[in-house]
């Protein structure tokens, strides 16, 4: 009896903490409908930082002035550090330009860090799996999607170093030392989900690959058409060259196929999907 209760409780908790993403639901419907290979999306096995762990470093007072908050304390492998706002203002793009003092465990200022962000808040999280906390500054696009600029901690220099590009909804694979960026676009009946994979080798971030899943949805939000694009280099993605593109036939067309044609379609799809599963 206890075992049954435990299994039921585990199932409920699993539903709470491992809720299936919208993209996973759409892929499951495609896979079941066409009877093709399962694509394990990063949503099902990766984690991200706690969005509730955001730390505010300033606020706008009743007069509309920017006022600094208290020091932000953080630890780097047991040693105490602090972030103190030196100055904060806005630029012509209405972003917050902030200069932080990074203060070490000997109460020495080791860095004057200049940053930009859309919010007067930040996150601290080990993004490159080296045991040291990194700094994430949030931005928001016109559709309200959150993305981040990451400042990686360099223990050798005892300071934060800005990464070149901002990441949408980053997820983290600590086992394989990978960051996965997820970007979602919804326009009418079209939905696209783009996953980009980076790995860390000897502390250096390296592009691994990227794929975009394109769905066409009906009025019931069910997928009626699907294709994907795969890029094996950052240059290919940026310049839209060397793309691998595969489209499933429409369901109406697929139903009219002979059994041998259906088998060949599934075989071709499963072969292509292996490229996406290598991550």
């Amino acid at each position: 009896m206890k075992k049954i209760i435990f299994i039921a409780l585990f199932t409920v908790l699993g539903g709470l903490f491992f809720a299936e993403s919208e993209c996973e639901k759409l892929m499951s419907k495609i896979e079941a409908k066409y009877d093709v290979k399962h694509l394990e999306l990063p949503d099902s096995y990766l984690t991200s930082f706690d969005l509730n762990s955001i730390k505010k470093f300033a606020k706008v007072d009743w007069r509309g002035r920017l006022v600094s908050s208290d020091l932000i304390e953080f630890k780097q492998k047991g040693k105490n550090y602090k972030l103190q706002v030196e100055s904060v203002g806005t630029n012509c793009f209405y972003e917050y330009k902030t200069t932080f003092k990074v203060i070490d465990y000997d109460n020495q200022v080791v860095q004057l860090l200049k940053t930009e962000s859309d919010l007067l808040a930040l996150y601290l999280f080990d993004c490159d799996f080296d045991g040291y906390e990194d700094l994430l500054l949030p931005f928001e696009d016109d559709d309200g999607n959150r993305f981040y600029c990451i400042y990686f901690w360099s223990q050798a220099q005892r300071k934060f170093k800005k990464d070149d590009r901002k990441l949408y909804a980053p997820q983290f694979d600590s086992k394989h030392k990978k960051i996965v960026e997820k970007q979602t676009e919804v326009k009418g009946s079209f939905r696209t989900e783009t996953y980009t994979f980076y790995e860390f080798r000897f502390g250096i971030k390296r592009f691994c690959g990227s794929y975009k899943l394109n769905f066409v949805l009906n009025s019931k939000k069910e997928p009626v058409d699907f294709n994907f694009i795969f890029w094996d280099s950052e240059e290919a993605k940026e310049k839209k060259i060397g793309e691998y593109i595969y489209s499933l036939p429409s369901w109406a067309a697929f139903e009219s196929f002979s059994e041998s044609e259906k088998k060949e379609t599934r075989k071709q799809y499963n072969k292509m999907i292996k490229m996406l599963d290598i991550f």
Side-chain angles (χ1 to χ4, degrees):
M1 182 65 181
K2 288 183 179 180
K3 186 175 181 181
I4 295 174
I5 294 173
F6 175 78
I7 292 172
L9 180 61
F10 182 82
T11 303
V12 171
L13 291 175
L16 289 173
F17 294 106
F18 302 101
E20 192 177 33
S21 71
E22 189 63 31
C23 188
E24 287 175 305
K25 292 176 184 177
L26 293 174
M27 283 303 300
S28 294
K29 289 179 180 179
I30 290 287
E31 291 160 357
K33 200 170 189 178
Y34 287 84
D35 189 22
V36 290
K37 180 180 171 64
H38 171 63
L39 172 63
E40 188 174 19
L41 296 172
D43 311 61
S44 64
Y45 62 87
L46 295 190
T47 59
S48 190
F49 53 89
D50 180 9
L51 293 176
N52 295 319
S53 65
I54 194 165
K55 301 179 186 297
K56 296 181 180 179
F57 58 79
K59 64 181 180 180
V60 180
D61 69 9
W62 65 277
R63 293 180 179 177
R65 297 181 303 184
L66 291 170
V67 181
S68 301
S69 300
D70 295 334
L71 292 170
I72 294 175
E73 297 183 353
F74 63 102
K75 289 182 181 291
Q76 299 293 29
K77 291 200 172 178
K79 293 187 178 293
N80 297 316
Y81 285 79
K82 295 183 281 288
L83 285 171
Q84 182 180 32
V85 175
E86 171 76 1
S87 64
V88 58
T90 56
N91 61 18
C92 59
F93 301 107
Y94 300 100
E95 296 174 337
Y96 295 111
K97 292 177 66 71
T98 309
T99 299
F100 292 97
K101 286 181 180 178
V102 182
I103 304 169
D104 73 1
Y105 45 85
D106 287 327
N107 210 32
Q108 299 294 312
V109 177
V110 293
Q111 183 181 14
L112 285 176
L113 177 65
K114 295 183 178 181
T115 68
E116 300 88 28
S117 64
D118 280 347
L119 302 178
L120 292 167
L122 56 83
Y123 293 92
L124 289 160
F125 186 82
D126 181 9
C127 300
D128 56 356
F129 321 106
D130 63 354
Y132 296 97
E133 291 200 312
D134 306 302
L135 194 65
L136 296 102
L137 274 296
F139 292 79
E140 290 184 351
D141 63 19
D142 294 337
D143 295 322
N145 296 310
R146 186 77 59 86
F147 58 103
Y148 302 88
C149 182
I150 301 177
Y151 296 76
F152 292 106
W153 177 260
S154 169
Q155 179 58 16
Q157 299 177 20
R158 285 197 299 168
K159 67 178 185 180
F160 292 103
K161 299 175 70 175
K162 184 179 180 181
D163 193 42
D164 290 336
R165 70 185 298 272
K166 299 178 179 69
L167 296 179
Y168 275 82
Q171 299 171 305
F172 303 91
D173 181 353
S174 57
K175 181 179 179 181
H176 302 101
K177 295 187 176 182
K178 288 181 180 178
I179 290 181
V180 182
E181 175 189 29
K182 180 181 179 182
Q183 199 165 353
T184 303
E185 288 182 76
V186 180
K187 292 183 180 180
S189 60
F190 297 93
R191 183 185 183 98
T192 67
E193 304 271 5
T194 305
Y195 295 87
T196 305
F197 297 76
Y198 302 89
E199 71 174 351
F200 286 88
R201 287 188 179 179
F202 307 107
I204 298 173
K205 192 177 81 170
R206 186 182 72 87
F207 178 90
C208 297
S210 180
Y211 57 78
K212 178 186 285 189
L213 309 175
N214 299 303
F215 302 93
V216 179
L217 310 178
N218 61 19
S219 58
K220 297 180 181 179
K221 303 298 181 182
E222 296 173 338
V224 293
D225 203 355
F226 172 75
N227 69 61
F228 65 78
I229 303 172
F230 170 73
W231 301 276
D232 57 9
S233 74
E234 204 158 15
E235 182 184 18
K237 183 180 179 184
E238 289 175 359
K239 296 183 178 179
K240 297 184 178 180
I241 57 175
E243 302 172 330
Y244 297 89
I245 303 173
Y246 179 81
S247 299
L248 271 171
S250 69
W251 179 245
F254 185 77
E255 281 192 308
S256 68
F257 286 0
S258 66
E259 286 304 313
S260 61
E261 288 173 326
K262 288 180 180 179
K263 184 177 180 179
E264 184 59 32
T265 298
R266 294 187 184 107
K267 181 180 178 181
Q268 187 179 11
Y269 175 89
N270 292 342
K271 181 180 179 181
M272 293 292 291
I273 214 76
K274 281 184 178 180
M275 291 192 304
L276 313 188
D277 260 337
I278 63 174
F279 303 115

Coordinates of all heavy atoms in Angstrom, one line a residue, residues 4 6 37 69-70 83 87 89 114 117 131 140 143 165 173 180 187-188 194 202 211 218 225 228 251 253 260 266 278:
I4 N 2.3 1.9 -3.4 CA 1.3 2.5 -4.3 C 1.2 4.0 -4.1 O 1.2 4.8 -5.0 CB 0.0 1.8 -4.2 CG1 0.1 0.3 -4.6 CG2 -1.1 2.5 -5.0 CD1 -1.1 -0.5 -4.4
F6 N 3.4 6.0 -2.7 CA 4.7 6.6 -3.1 C 4.7 6.8 -4.6 O 5.1 7.9 -5.0 CB 5.8 5.8 -2.6 CG 7.2 6.3 -3.1 CD1 7.8 7.4 -2.4 CD2 7.8 5.7 -4.2 CE1 9.0 7.9 -2.9 CE2 9.0 6.2 -4.6 CZ 9.6 7.3 -3.9
K37 N 10.1 8.1 -35.2 CA 11.1 8.0 -34.1 C 10.8 9.2 -33.1 O 10.5 10.3 -33.6 CB 12.5 8.1 -34.6 CG 13.6 8.1 -33.6 CD 15.0 8.1 -34.3 CE 16.1 8.3 -33.3 NZ 16.2 7.2 -32.3
S69 N 20.1 49.8 -4.4 CA 19.7 48.9 -3.3 C 20.9 48.6 -2.5 O 22.1 49.0 -2.7 CB 19.0 47.7 -3.8 OG 17.9 48.1 -4.6
D70 N 20.7 47.7 -1.5 CA 21.8 47.2 -0.7 C 22.9 46.4 -1.5 O 22.6 46.0 -2.6 CB 21.3 46.3 0.5 CG 20.4 47.2 1.4 OD1 20.6 48.4 1.5 OD2 19.5 46.5 2.1
L83 N 28.7 42.7 -4.6 CA 28.5 43.7 -5.7 C 27.9 44.9 -5.2 O 26.9 44.9 -4.4 CB 27.5 43.0 -6.7 CG 28.1 42.0 -7.7 CD1 26.9 41.3 -8.5 CD2 29.1 42.5 -8.6
S87 N 27.3 53.4 -10.0 CA 26.5 54.3 -10.7 C 25.4 53.6 -11.5 O 25.7 52.5 -12.0 CB 27.3 55.3 -11.6 OG 27.9 54.5 -12.7
G89 N 22.2 54.5 -14.5 CA 21.4 55.5 -15.3 C 20.8 54.8 -16.5 O 20.8 53.6 -16.6
K114 N 31.0 47.3 -16.0 CA 30.0 48.1 -16.6 C 29.0 47.2 -17.4 O 29.5 46.3 -18.1 CB 30.6 49.1 -17.6 CG 31.5 50.1 -17.0 CD 32.1 51.1 -18.0 CE 32.9 52.2 -17.2 NZ 33.4 53.2 -18.2
S117 N 21.2 46.4 -19.1 CA 20.1 45.5 -18.9 C 18.8 46.2 -19.0 O 18.7 47.5 -19.0 CB 20.2 44.9 -17.5 OG 20.0 45.8 -16.5
G131 N 32.2 25.7 -11.2 CA 32.1 25.8 -9.7 C 32.0 27.3 -9.2 O 31.9 27.5 -8.0
E140 N 14.4 42.1 -22.4 CA 13.1 41.6 -22.9 C 12.9 42.2 -24.3 O 13.2 43.3 -24.6 CB 11.9 42.1 -22.0 CG 11.9 41.4 -20.7 CD 10.7 41.8 -19.9 OE1 10.0 42.7 -20.3 OE2 10.4 41.2 -18.8
D143 N 8.1 41.2 -27.8 CA 7.0 40.3 -27.5 C 7.0 39.9 -26.0 O 6.2 39.0 -25.6 CB 7.1 39.1 -28.4 CG 6.9 39.4 -29.8 OD1 6.0 40.2 -30.1 OD2 7.6 38.8 -30.7
R165 N 27.4 37.1 -27.0 CA 26.0 37.1 -27.5 C 25.1 36.8 -26.3 O 25.4 36.1 -25.4 CB 25.8 36.2 -28.7 CG 25.9 34.7 -28.4 CD 25.8 33.9 -29.6 NE 24.5 34.1 -30.3 CZ 23.5 33.3 -30.1 NH1 23.5 32.4 -29.1 NH2 22.4 33.5 -30.8
D173 N 23.0 21.7 -19.0 CA 23.3 20.3 -18.9 C 24.6 20.2 -18.2 O 25.7 20.2 -18.8 CB 23.3 19.7 -20.3 CG 23.6 18.2 -20.3 OD1 23.9 17.6 -19.2 OD2 23.6 17.6 -21.4
V180 N 22.0 25.2 -23.5 CA 21.1 25.1 -24.6 C 20.2 26.4 -24.6 O 19.6 26.7 -23.6 CB 20.2 23.8 -24.6 CG1 19.3 23.8 -25.8 CG2 21.1 22.6 -24.5
K187 N 3.3 33.1 -34.4 CA 2.6 34.1 -35.3 C 1.4 33.4 -35.9 O 1.6 32.6 -36.8 CB 3.6 34.6 -36.4 CG 4.7 35.5 -35.8 CD 5.6 36.1 -36.9 CE 6.7 36.9 -36.4 NZ 7.6 37.5 -37.4
G188 N 0.2 33.7 -35.4 CA -1.0 33.1 -35.9 C -1.0 31.6 -35.8 O -0.8 31.1 -34.7
T194 N 13.4 27.0 -31.7 CA 14.8 26.9 -32.1 C 15.6 26.6 -30.9 O 15.6 27.3 -29.9 CB 15.3 28.2 -32.8 OG1 14.4 28.6 -33.8 CG2 16.7 28.0 -33.3
F202 N 37.6 23.1 -21.8 CA 38.7 23.8 -21.2 C 38.3 25.3 -20.9 O 39.1 26.2 -21.1 CB 40.0 23.7 -22.0 CG 40.3 22.3 -22.4 CD1 40.1 21.9 -23.7 CD2 40.9 21.5 -21.5 CE1 40.5 20.6 -24.0 CE2 41.2 20.2 -21.8 CZ 41.0 19.7 -23.1
Y211 N 18.9 23.5 -34.3 CA 17.8 23.1 -35.1 C 16.5 23.9 -34.8 O 16.3 24.4 -33.7 CB 17.5 21.6 -35.1 CG 17.2 21.0 -33.7 CD1 16.0 21.2 -33.1 CD2 18.2 20.3 -33.1 CE1 15.7 20.5 -31.9 CE2 17.9 19.7 -31.9 CZ 16.7 19.8 -31.3 OH 16.4 19.2 -30.1
N218 N -3.8 24.0 -36.5 CA -5.1 24.3 -36.9 C -5.8 25.0 -35.8 O -5.2 25.5 -34.8 CB -5.9 23.0 -37.2 CG -6.0 22.0 -36.0 OD1 -5.8 22.4 -34.9 ND2 -6.2 20.7 -36.3
D225 N 1.0 20.4 -40.0 CA 2.2 20.4 -40.9 C 3.4 20.6 -40.1 O 3.4 21.3 -39.1 CB 2.0 21.6 -42.0 CG 2.8 21.3 -43.2 OD1 3.6 20.3 -43.3 OD2 2.7 22.1 -44.2
F228 N 11.6 20.7 -40.2 CA 12.7 21.2 -39.4 C 13.9 21.5 -40.2 O 14.1 21.1 -41.3 CB 13.1 20.2 -38.3 CG 13.7 18.9 -38.8 CD1 15.0 18.8 -39.2 CD2 12.9 17.7 -38.8 CE1 15.6 17.6 -39.6 CE2 13.5 16.5 -39.3 CZ 14.8 16.5 -39.7
W251 N -0.7 15.4 -43.8 CA -1.4 14.1 -43.3 C -2.3 13.6 -44.4 O -2.4 12.4 -44.6 CB -2.2 14.4 -42.0 CG -2.9 13.2 -41.5 CD1 -4.2 13.0 -41.4 CD2 -2.3 12.0 -41.0 NE1 -4.5 11.8 -40.9 CE2 -3.3 11.1 -40.7 CE3 -1.0 11.6 -40.9 CZ2 -3.1 9.9 -40.2 CZ3 -0.7 10.3 -40.4 CH2 -1.8 9.4 -40.0
A253 N -1.9 13.8 -47.6 CA -1.0 13.1 -48.6 C -0.5 11.8 -48.0 O -0.5 10.8 -48.8 CB 0.1 14.0 -49.0
S260 N 4.2 0.7 -48.5 CA 5.6 0.8 -48.8 C 6.1 2.2 -48.8 O 7.2 2.6 -48.3 CB 6.0 0.1 -50.1 OG 5.3 0.7 -51.2
R266 N 8.7 7.1 -43.3 CA 9.2 7.0 -41.9 C 10.7 6.7 -41.8 O 11.4 7.3 -40.9 CB 8.4 5.8 -41.2 CG 6.9 6.0 -41.0 CD 6.3 4.9 -40.2 NE 4.9 5.1 -40.1 CZ 4.0 4.4 -40.7 NH1 4.4 3.4 -41.5 NH2 2.7 4.6 -40.6
I278 N 21.8 13.8 -31.8 CA 23.2 13.6 -31.4 C 23.6 14.5 -30.2 O 24.6 14.3 -29.5 CB 24.2 13.9 -32.5 CG1 24.0 15.4 -33.0 CG2 24.0 13.0 -33.7 CD1 25.0 15.8 -34.0

